[in-house]
Amino acid sequence: MRHVLLTAAIAATIATSGFAQEITLARFFGACEDAGADPTVTTGEACIIQSIINAASAEIDGVTVNTLPTDWGNYYDQIKAAYAGGTPPNIHVMQGSRLAEFAELGALADIGDDLQSVGIDPSDWSDRARNAVTYDGQIYGVPMDIHANLWHVNMDLMAQAGLVEDGKPVLPSSPEELLAQAQQFNDATGMDYLAADFAQFPIGVRVVLALMWQQNANIFTEDGTATINTEAGQNAVTAITQLFDADLVDPQLNYADSQQAFLNGEAGILVNGTWVVDFYTAEAAKEEVGLDNYYVADFPTLFETGATWADSHMWAIPASLKAEDPEKYQAALKVLAFINDHNIDWARTGHMAVRTSVVNSEAYNALPHRDEYTGTAAIARDTPPSERYGAIQDVLNRELQAIWLTGKTVEAALGDAEIEVQDLLDR
């Protein structure tokens, strides 16, 4: 009898090892120590995505998913180093703006012909989402969201400043109105009108990009000519620096400090993305948090054309995995299908869903604050595809911070940025 049991155990082990796949997955979004495996109850980007990943690991037969520790600040450097060393994660998240850079190198698997095999229907993706994962006619990822900059509003402070009408915040429609409303707000409350990360991550770059697009301009043309030190560029930057010069906005705040100022009830508006809507909603419900009456507004139009910075999150698989390990590649595709199936859970963060069936669902439209920024999808813009997007963004961030943190003149900073970006475009 003992021999029979042992034989059975060995057979089971052999059968399991023949199919079990351990998938490594790299992501940013921050840490969540106790995400669990129920995506319907978690809050915030880090915990929602980790709960989806944990659920995938628990529910997909024969597949275990191990999330690799990665840091947002140098995430892409880590991913590039892993590719260069021949040890990329089996799955990794990335932004659509980085697709051209990785796809051009041949790093990513073309997964377009394999999506149906795991139940992913690309025809259910919005055109914008499908374009975000497509490069040179090939699909290199599964989209997860469209995200964009919003104006997060403290309605109590705005009401104190007389900037609420019919239950909605009064938003500026020109740089002049922006300055006037900021002064009105400060006079009434004694607090900063607006907070944002102008000193760390490229939130300021995204604001300037939006204001350039609102003037029907861009930072480079389709033929690769840098167009930064222009009247449109100077107008965009000046719309922001005039707030600093009048001591109505603090340019020294980093990402964490700007969020804390807003949650403490020390700023009327926070410029940040869709990714924090559910987090701020949860924080506003807490008695000890200074923010009580929270509203979400579309990024205001200060120039001729509505526009706000936008990007997308997508999941990719290395080309080497598809070529060298078909079984693990198939397991990785199943994980992507699981994430795609949970698009409504990810959308609870505040991001715009990528699946048309989700966008049209009652559950999606009933999400908190969703009806307050319905105009964002129509004005969401991003830069043209560029293999050098990351480096271009770094140059702009450095030169803009030189303006508002060290006093470099607008013309000198934009001029230096234009020279550097042109050099990048010419490579």
Side-chain angles (χ1 to χ4, degrees), residues 32-372:
C32 178
E33 295 182 357
D34 188 21
D38 184 354
T40 66
V41 299
T42 41
T43 300
E45 277 191 312
C47 288
I48 290 178
I49 190 57
Q50 193 57 51
S51 66
I52 294 173
I53 293 166
N54 291 346
S57 189
E59 296 179 26
I60 303 175
D61 289 340
V63 176
T64 301
V65 185
N66 291 327
T67 304
L68 303 177
T70 49
D71 179 66
W72 162 242
N74 59 359
Y75 175 79
Y76 287 107
D77 290 338
Q78 294 179 57
I79 294 296
K80 289 177 186 176
Y83 272 106
T87 59
N90 303 139
I91 298 172
H92 63 86
V93 74
M94 60 188 295
Q95 289 156 312
S97 56
R98 298 295 186 120
L99 175 60
E101 180 179 357
F102 282 79
E104 190 66 24
L105 293 172
L108 306 181
D110 170 12
I111 63 175
D113 291 338
D114 303 319
L115 295 173
Q116 297 282 1
S117 71
V118 290
I120 299 176
D121 178 11
S123 68
D124 191 30
W125 297 340
S126 67
D127 291 342
R128 185 185 184 92
R130 190 163 47 254
N131 290 337
V133 297
T134 302
Y135 181 74
D136 201 18
Q138 309 297 322
I139 294 178
Y140 287 101
V142 169
M144 190 164 66
D145 64 52
I146 303 297
H147 51 270
N149 263 355
L150 303 168
W151 276 33
H152 304 269
V153 184
N154 184 324
M155 291 293 281
D156 291 330
L157 291 177
M158 292 289 279
Q160 185 179 340
L163 292 172
V164 173
E165 289 182 3
D166 299 327
K168 297 180 181 179
V170 178
L171 302 182
S173 60
S174 69
E176 293 76 20
E177 281 191 11
L178 174 69
L179 181 61
Q181 290 188 12
Q183 188 65 62
Q184 178 179 334
F185 181 93
N186 182 262
D187 291 343
T189 67
M191 298 182 184
D192 286 348
Y193 169 71
L194 179 148
D197 170 18
F198 292 107
Q200 186 182 17
F201 299 124
I203 301 294
V205 172
R206 296 166 182 177
V207 172
V208 169
L209 286 174
L211 296 180
M212 288 186 69
W213 295 329
Q214 289 190 5
Q215 299 170 81
N216 304 309
N218 210 337
I219 54 175
F220 56 85
T221 62
E222 291 185 1
D223 66 359
T225 301
T227 51
I228 299 169
N229 191 21
T230 60
E231 182 178 359
Q234 293 173 12
N235 289 341
V237 174
T238 301
I240 303 303
T241 55
Q242 65 178 359
L243 300 175
F244 302 148
D245 294 341
D247 291 328
L248 301 172
V249 173
D250 183 357
Q252 303 284 344
L253 297 180
N254 60 25
Y255 188 79
D257 290 341
S258 61
Q259 283 197 111
Q260 200 58 56
F262 181 67
L263 293 174
N264 287 345
E266 298 168 352
I269 292 165
L270 176 68
V271 181
N272 203 357
T274 47
W275 50 88
V276 284
V277 171
D278 76 320
F279 173 65
Y280 294 164
T281 301
E283 289 296 296
K286 297 178 180 177
E287 187 173 345
E288 67 272 21
V289 173
L291 173 67
D292 295 321
N293 194 356
Y294 172 53
Y295 189 96
V296 185
D298 298 318
F299 195 94
T301 301
L302 302 185
F303 295 94
E304 298 88 2
T305 305
T308 187
W309 167 87
D311 204 335
S312 60
H313 290 126
M314 57 176 282
W315 294 93
I317 298 174
S320 57
L321 185 68
K322 180 177 180 178
E324 298 167 7
D325 195 338
E327 290 187 0
K328 182 163 286 192
Y329 171 64
Q330 197 66 22
L333 285 172
K334 291 179 180 177
V335 176
L336 298 196
F338 191 92
I339 294 173
N340 189 62
D341 288 343
H342 285 264
N343 197 218
I344 182 62
D345 293 313
W346 181 243
R348 289 193 300 104
T349 56
H351 291 316
M352 292 174 277
V354 293
R355 295 180 55 187
T356 303
S357 59
V358 171
V359 171
N360 293 333
S361 69
E362 291 184 12
Y364 181 79
N365 289 289
L367 292 172
H369 300 288
R370 189 67 58 167
D371 59 335
E372 296 168 359

